[in-house]
Amino acid sequence: MSDDSRPSPAAALTAAVIPAAGRGVRLGPGAPKALRALGGTPMLIHAVRAMAASRAVSLVIVVAPPDGTAEVKSLLDAYALPERTDFLVVSGGATRQESVKLGLDALPPEYAVVLVHDAARPLVPVDTVDAVIEAVRDGAPAVVPAVPLADTVKQVEPAAAPDDPEPVVATPDRSLLRAVQTPQGFDRATLIRAHETVTDAVTDDAGMVEQIGVRVVAVPGHEEAFKVTRPLDLVLAEAVLARRRLNDGF
Ligand code: C5P
């Protein structure tokens, strides 16, 4: 294929993969985390809407719990979603990494830009999604939304005995640290190569891209893109939704 026949980056089709197959054990007992309600709507539906809210995203691939694909399909049918976006549901794996890989396996060839977005970050604003897509379309192979840290971070080493305090071994310069969110955005070929190459356990997709020696860049994230992990995060998420409803009402 000659360079002339490739779509220009600005026109590159963009898909979002949403890994939603985790149990969410830290949130307490109950349904898989992505299927729990926030403001009466499943967290996953909020996350799907957050991706589909970007006019650049024309396909959303949801990676469902292996025993929950039928339920996820019927949820996507039951809730209003933009008509201009296509939706696919695939079955997930034992780890987040495997679930993302299974989502990428379902990605049609014409999509040149891919976002990976945790279902557990249901409230990411569309401006953040668009900023990530724009940076990839402008030529960055891997982009993460990131925010500065409020807390100072200490590196520790394991305690000598289970009840002993952990020795602190370092204090990294906080001004150079960032908390990384999703959606993370990638040039499709780069992300697929990373998933085919890296077998170590990682906690985010950009980490895999770093491991294959490709540069990752950070754009500003947003405080509302926080991950719903523990019970207190649900309280915060409900408060954010209530504030949005109030603002929309005026
Ligand atoms: O566990 P953690 O909060 O890091 O999960 C991040 C995202 O990865 C969640 O949206 C979760 O549903 C998803 N996940 C997955 N498959 C797994 C484990 C987690 O899709 N096996």
Side-chain angles (χ1 to χ4, degrees), residues 14 50-51 53-57 115-117 121-136 143-147 179-185 217-226 244:
T14 301
M51 296 301 102
S54 168
R55 301 197 69 81
V57 172
L115 304 179
V116 182
H117 181 61
R121 297 183 190 271
L123 302 179
V124 59
V126 69
D127 287 352
T128 307
V129 181
D130 282 337
V132 170
I133 296 170
E134 196 180 323
V136 180
V143 179
V144 296
V147 289
V180 169
Q181 305 174 324
T182 72
Q184 299 186 349
V217 295
V219 297
H222 196 283
E223 60 180 358
E224 292 182 3
F226 64 93
R244 285 185 187 176

Side-chain angles (χ1 to χ4, degrees), residues 19-244:
R23 302 294 320 171
V25 176
R26 287 168 292 180
L27 209 51
K33 177 160 70 176
L35 304 184
R36 299 195 196 193
L38 269 188
T41 300
M43 208 178 318
L44 173 63
I45 297 296
H46 288 285
V48 168
R49 284 178 174 161
M51 296 301 102
S54 168
R55 301 197 69 81
V57 172
S58 47
L59 170 67
V60 176
I61 300 175
V62 177
V63 188
D67 57 356
T69 47
E71 191 179 350
V72 166
K73 278 183 189 155
S74 49
L75 278 181
L76 293 181
D77 287 340
Y79 285 86
L81 297 169
E83 298 222 337
R84 63 186 152 75
T85 315
D86 289 331
F87 299 95
L88 275 178
V89 178
V90 300
S91 182
T95 63
R96 180 187 182 282
Q97 209 165 338
E98 258 182 65
S99 294
V100 172
K101 173 86 169 58
L102 289 163
L104 290 175
D105 288 347
L107 188 66
E110 63 271 26
Y111 286 88
V113 174
V114 52
L115 304 179
V116 182
H117 181 61
D118 288 335
R121 297 183 190 271
L123 302 179
V124 59
V126 69
D127 287 352
T128 307
V129 181
D130 282 337
V132 170
I133 296 170
E134 196 180 323
V136 180
R137 286 181 168 183
D138 283 350
V143 179
V144 296
V147 289
L149 297 186
D151 294 323
T152 295
V153 172
K154 302 281 184 198
Q155 186 181 339
V156 297
E157 61 185 27
D163 289 333
D164 283 1
E166 295 169 319
V168 169
V169 293
T171 306
D173 177 356
R174 190 174 69 188
S175 68
L176 294 176
L177 296 176
R178 299 287 178 268
V180 169
Q181 305 174 324
T182 72
Q184 299 186 349
F186 304 91
D187 154 60
R188 171 216 181 91
T190 302
L191 184 60
I192 289 180
R193 188 154 60 86
H195 272 270
E196 282 168 352
T197 313
V198 177
T199 49
D200 300 352
V202 291
T203 48
D204 74 339
D205 297 275
M208 305 177 79
V209 169
E210 287 160 51
Q211 285 198 38
I212 60 166
V214 174
R215 208 167 104 95
V216 175
V217 295
V219 297
H222 196 283
E223 60 180 358
E224 292 182 3
F226 64 93
K227 184 153 81 168
V228 176
T229 306
R230 298 180 191 85
L232 190 61
D233 300 323
L234 283 173
V235 178
L236 182 58
E238 294 287 359
V240 170
L241 279 177
R243 184 174 69 180
R244 285 185 187 176

